[in-house]
């Protein structure tokens, strides 16, 4: 078919073009109330191009525009391809005109599918332009449950999963709509088999320094266990790793910038004791191991969030009809050097509680007594976890000792491993009197590690006579003796607190 022009030779200076293409995807976006028909086509050189039909040309041509069909398209306009979420890297796109004709053609080679798979490492290194949609192929290594969310005035489904490429670089994926439900069904029937997924025409998103991909409008495609040549070659290169699918809680993603959460805690983040966190004079994100003593319920333990933006909504321009409870937990925590408070919002809190706020509030009416906590929350007290926290400028300038948690590890074996290799960065010979100044009430917090227990627990969990003496000192924090209590909050007047110099975190 040498009489046809290839797609990358098409230019805007004329309309009498003639191309031979295969239709890869067809959809109707209905953006801003305007009906159009959109397509992606590919030519024999595996080059793709975006095609748009305005409403007046849809009825005439729609029956001929089927996904997978090969067609000859002639006499069309060529316009600049711009804006966000461009589905093709082509500089131009095709616009149907009144003179445009579409005719059936001989089927194109089935191996021509226009794939341009990207490297996950290029995504994490910021080499990909987020204005363009991308193709990704990977093995699904972890997957969560389908969540039903209120987005705007309608409900939609969301599923979070993690895939890896042949270099074992991981990528977070958030899948919306029917694709989410379909993927969950595939995973449930996998029977420990390797599942390869092709994510086609996906958008890139950078959130809190982490790149992820998700489907975009109606143009994206999610294909599981495909059999085309690229996927078969991928499976062949992947087989040596031998990982199978695991399940996670919703939103419990296990990758941060292509680094595992474990490596982020163990290798890539500075470690701080609580006394060092309190004494910090620069903005930084760091990791620490701490035991939860109690839950501060002065401001409750959950709030009603907007169904559209998942926050206490002040910026929605419309009346909020859909609201749901979200966690806002303030933990009073300690280690061997001091005590402070950690603030966890919904996603991090769910990893600790293993339930949603909505589940815990099903049997709880409007809070009457904030000291009365559900059993799932009371049981958290006395447990030791790894926390990654943000020391913000407000903590330094106003001596605020409540720090936001941005990541958490709850697995006891990982916590134990961290405790064995963690060496306090403060002076080992620190005096008891000095440590008392780092606590909120002047008492000396104690935490003893027990290698024989399945979990790491503070002194309040020991049962020997010697350890029972310690319980008397920290009995008010013991989850084994009584429910968590809200401790008296130390309030400071910002106007009387001497300001400190804030150093910004180095890039």
């Amino acid at each position: 078919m040498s009489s046809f022009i290839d797609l990358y030779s098409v230019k805007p200076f004329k309309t009498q073009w003639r191309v031979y293409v295969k239709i890869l995807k067809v959809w109707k976006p209905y953006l801003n109330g305007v009906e159009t028909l959109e397509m992606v086509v590919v030519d024999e050189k595996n080059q793709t191009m975006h095609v748009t039909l305005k409403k007046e040309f849809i009825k005439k041509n729609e029956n001929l525009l089927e996904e997978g069909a090969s067609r000859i398209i002639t006499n069309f306009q060529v316009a600049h391809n711009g804006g966000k979420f461009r589905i093709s890297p082509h500089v131009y796109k095709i616009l149907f005109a009144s003179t445009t004709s579409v005719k059936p053609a001989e089927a194109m080679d089935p191996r021509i599918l226009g794939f341009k798979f990207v490297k996950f490492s290029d995504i994490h290194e910021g080499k990909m332009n987020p204005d363009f949609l991308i193709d990704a192929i990977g093995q699904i290594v972890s997957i969560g449950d389908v969540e039903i969310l209120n987005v705007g005035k309608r409900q939609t489904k969301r599923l979070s999963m993690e895939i890896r490429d042949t270099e074992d670089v991981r990528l977070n994926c958030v899948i919306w709509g029917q694709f989410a439900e379909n993927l969950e069904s595939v995973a449930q029937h996998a029977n420990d088999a390797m599942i390869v997924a092709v994510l086609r025409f996906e958008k890139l998103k950078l959130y809190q320094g982490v790149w992820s991909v998700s489907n975009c409008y109606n143009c994206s495609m999610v294909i599981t266990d495909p059999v085309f040549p690229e996927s078969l070659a991928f499976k062949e290169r992947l087989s040596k790793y031998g990982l199978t699918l695991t399940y996670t809680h919703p939103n419990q993603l296990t990758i941060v910038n292509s680094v595992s959460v474990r490596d982020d805690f163990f290798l890539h983040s500075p470690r701080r004791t609580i006394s060092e966190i309190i004494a910090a004079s620069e903005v930084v994100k760091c990791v620490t191991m701490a035991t939860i003593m109690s839950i501060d319920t002065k401001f409750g333990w959950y709030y009603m969030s907007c169904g559209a933006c998942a926050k206490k909504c002040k910026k929605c321009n419309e009346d909020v009809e859909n609201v749901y409870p979200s966690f806002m937990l303030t933990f009073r925590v300690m280690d061997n050097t001091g005590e402070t408070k950690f603030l966890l919002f919904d996603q991090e809190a769910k990893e600790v509680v293993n339930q949603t706020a909505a589940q815990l509030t099903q049997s709880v009416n409007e809070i009457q007594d904030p000291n009365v906590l559900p059993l799932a929350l009371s049981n958290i007290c006395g447990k030791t976890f790894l926390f990654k926290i943000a020391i913000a400028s407000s903590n330094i300038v106003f001596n605020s000792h409540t720090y936001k948690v941005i990541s958490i590890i709850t697995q006891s074996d990982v916590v134990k491993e961290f405790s064995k290799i963690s060496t306090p960065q403060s002076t080992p010979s620190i005096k008891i009197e000095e440590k008392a100044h780092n606590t909120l009430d002047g008492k000396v917090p104690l935490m003893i590690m027990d290698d024989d227990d399945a979990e790491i627990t503070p002194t309040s969990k020991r049962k020997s006579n010697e350890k029972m003496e310690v319980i008397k000192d920290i009995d008010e924090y013991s989850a084994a003796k009584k429910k968590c209590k809200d401790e008296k909050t130390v309030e400071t007047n910002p106007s009387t607190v001497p300001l400190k110099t804030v150093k910004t975190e180095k890039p």
Side-chain angles (χ1 to χ4, degrees):
M1 297 188 178
S2 57
S3 61
F4 300 106
I5 194 78
D6 68 271
L7 292 178
Y8 271 43
S9 297
V10 171
K11 300 292 188 295
F13 64 87
K14 72 173 187 177
T15 60
Q16 294 179 340
W17 299 107
R18 189 166 184 259
V19 295
Y20 168 60
V21 297
K22 179 194 293 184
I23 301 172
L24 300 177
K25 178 68 179 177
V26 181
W27 75 100
K28 291 181 179 180
Y30 294 99
L31 291 177
N32 299 319
V34 179
E35 180 183 1
T36 62
L37 187 145
E38 310 291 332
M39 295 191 302
V40 185
V41 297
V42 64
D43 64 11
E44 291 182 294
K45 293 185 177 181
N46 212 42
Q47 301 168 148
T48 60
M49 197 167 183
H50 187 183
V51 181
T52 296
L53 285 74
K54 293 182 179 179
K55 182 178 180 179
E56 56 265 33
F57 305 126
I58 294 177
K59 185 176 181 180
K60 172 185 174 183
N61 299 285
E62 188 172 13
N63 291 337
L64 291 170
L65 304 177
E66 300 175 358
E67 291 183 5
S70 297
R71 295 290 183 260
I72 298 171
I73 305 175
T74 58
N75 300 330
F76 49 82
Q77 297 176 348
V78 180
H80 180 70
N81 183 29
K84 285 186 173 291
F85 310 134
R86 280 171 265 177
I87 202 164
S88 168
H90 202 301
V91 177
Y92 303 110
K93 66 178 180 178
I94 293 173
L95 296 178
F96 270 42
S98 58
T99 58
T100 304
S101 69
V102 180
K103 294 182 179 179
E106 179 183 347
M108 191 178 290
D109 188 332
R111 295 172 296 180
I112 299 176
L113 296 170
F115 284 116
K116 299 290 189 299
F117 293 118
V118 302
K119 290 185 176 180
F120 294 177
S121 58
D122 288 344
I123 295 175
H124 293 304
E125 292 169 10
K127 295 181 179 179
M128 308 304 300
N129 187 341
D131 287 342
F132 294 91
L133 304 185
I134 58 106
D135 297 336
I137 183 171
Q139 179 195 359
I140 302 176
V141 292
S142 66
I143 192 168
D145 297 323
V146 169
E147 303 171 88
I148 299 178
L149 304 178
N150 293 311
V151 178
K153 295 185 177 180
R154 62 185 181 88
Q155 287 189 336
T156 188
K157 298 175 182 178
R158 181 180 70 181
L159 178 144
S160 299
M161 68 177 186
E162 176 187 83
I163 61 176
R164 66 171 183 142
D165 62 12
T166 55
E167 297 175 354
D168 204 30
V169 179
R170 312 299 177 91
L171 181 65
N172 292 335
C173 307
V174 181
I175 307 301
W176 298 85
Q178 189 62 42
F179 287 130
E181 191 172 353
N182 294 343
L183 274 172
E184 183 184 47
S185 176
V186 170
Q188 289 174 346
H189 296 86
N191 297 322
D192 295 327
M194 179 189 297
I195 303 176
V196 171
V198 169
L199 309 179
R200 179 132 227 208
F201 310 133
E202 304 286 308
K203 65 180 178 181
L204 295 168
K205 183 176 182 180
L206 180 64
Y207 178 68
Q208 294 185 345
V210 181
W211 285 102
S212 63
V213 299
S214 65
N215 48 319
C216 179
Y217 303 115
N218 296 320
C219 61
S220 297
M221 304 170 69
V222 180
I223 309 168
T224 54
D225 286 330
V227 292
F228 43 77
E230 292 90 341
S231 65
L232 297 177
F234 175 86
K235 269 191 172 182
E236 185 68 24
R237 296 195 303 272
L238 194 66
S239 59
K240 60 183 178 181
Y241 291 105
L243 288 180
T244 55
L245 182 64
T246 59
Y247 294 88
T248 63
H249 295 292
N251 298 319
Q252 190 177 344
L253 301 179
T254 55
I255 292 297
V256 178
N257 270 343
S258 78
V259 175
S260 70
V261 165
R262 183 192 179 282
D263 287 349
D264 185 45
F265 273 71
F266 281 67
L267 302 176
H268 298 280
S269 298
R271 301 182 190 183
R272 298 288 186 270
T273 62
I274 287 180
S275 62
E276 291 170 331
I277 292 171
I278 294 172
S281 60
E282 62 178 352
V283 174
V284 70
K285 295 175 183 177
C286 60
V287 298
T288 190
M289 182 175 68
T291 299
I292 300 170
M293 297 187 299
S294 62
I295 299 177
D296 188 337
T297 57
K298 180 177 181 180
F299 299 103
W301 53 270
Y302 74 94
Y303 64 95
M304 301 308 295
S305 60
C306 171
C309 64
K311 297 179 180 178
K312 282 187 175 180
C313 187
K314 296 181 180 179
K315 62 183 181 181
C316 285
N317 294 323
E318 55 188 31
D319 294 334
V320 177
E321 297 179 357
N322 299 315
V323 294
Y324 60 91
S326 294
F327 282 118
M328 184 178 63
L329 299 178
T330 301
F331 290 154
R332 190 171 180 181
V333 299
M334 75 172 190
D335 67 4
N336 290 335
T337 70
E339 67 179 69
T340 189
K341 292 181 180 180
F342 286 170
L343 175 63
L344 288 79
F345 285 101
D346 198 55
Q347 293 195 18
E348 291 73 30
K350 284 189 288 190
E351 296 182 32
V352 178
V353 183
N354 290 318
Q355 295 186 58
T356 65
Q359 290 172 322
L360 294 187
T361 54
Q362 284 179 352
S363 59
V364 178
N365 296 323
E366 185 71 20
I367 295 178
Q368 302 296 329
D369 183 357
N371 290 323
V372 177
L373 293 171
L375 183 62
L377 295 183
S378 299
N379 288 340
I380 296 171
C381 298
K383 294 186 177 181
T384 301
F385 300 132
L386 303 183
F387 300 89
K388 184 173 183 180
I389 61 132
I391 302 176
S393 58
S394 60
N395 297 120
I396 302 167
V397 174
F398 300 114
N399 283 342
S400 170
H401 294 164
T402 299
Y403 303 89
K404 182 181 176 181
V405 174
I406 55 179
S407 185
I408 190 169
I409 291 180
T410 60
Q411 293 91 336
S412 59
D413 56 336
V414 181
V415 177
K416 271 191 175 181
E417 182 183 359
F418 186 94
S419 70
K420 291 177 181 178
I421 66 175
S422 178
T423 56
Q425 299 184 22
S426 55
T427 306
S429 59
I430 184 170
K431 295 180 180 179
I432 295 295
E433 298 93 293
E434 293 173 340
K435 288 196 286 185
H437 287 293
N438 291 326
T439 67
L440 295 178
D441 54 9
K443 296 182 180 180
V444 180
L446 298 175
M447 182 172 65
I448 299 176
M449 314 309 299
D450 188 352
D451 291 336
D452 296 327
D453 292 340
E455 293 185 341
I456 297 174
T457 60
T459 310
S460 58
K461 291 292 186 179
R462 300 305 182 98
K463 295 183 179 179
S464 67
N465 293 333
E466 177 183 357
K467 296 162 189 170
M468 287 301 292
E469 294 179 2
V470 179
I471 293 179
K472 296 178 181 178
D473 291 332
I474 59 172
D475 182 53
E476 59 183 310
Y477 310 133
S478 174
K481 283 192 166 290
K482 61 178 71 177
K483 66 177 181 296
C484 300
K485 289 187 177 181
D486 178 16
E487 300 294 339
K488 183 178 181 180
T489 304
V490 175
E491 297 181 354
T492 59
N493 185 346
S495 63
T496 62
V497 176
L499 301 183
K500 300 180 182 179
T501 304
V502 181
K503 300 177 182 178
T504 58
E505 184 177 3
K506 296 181 180 180

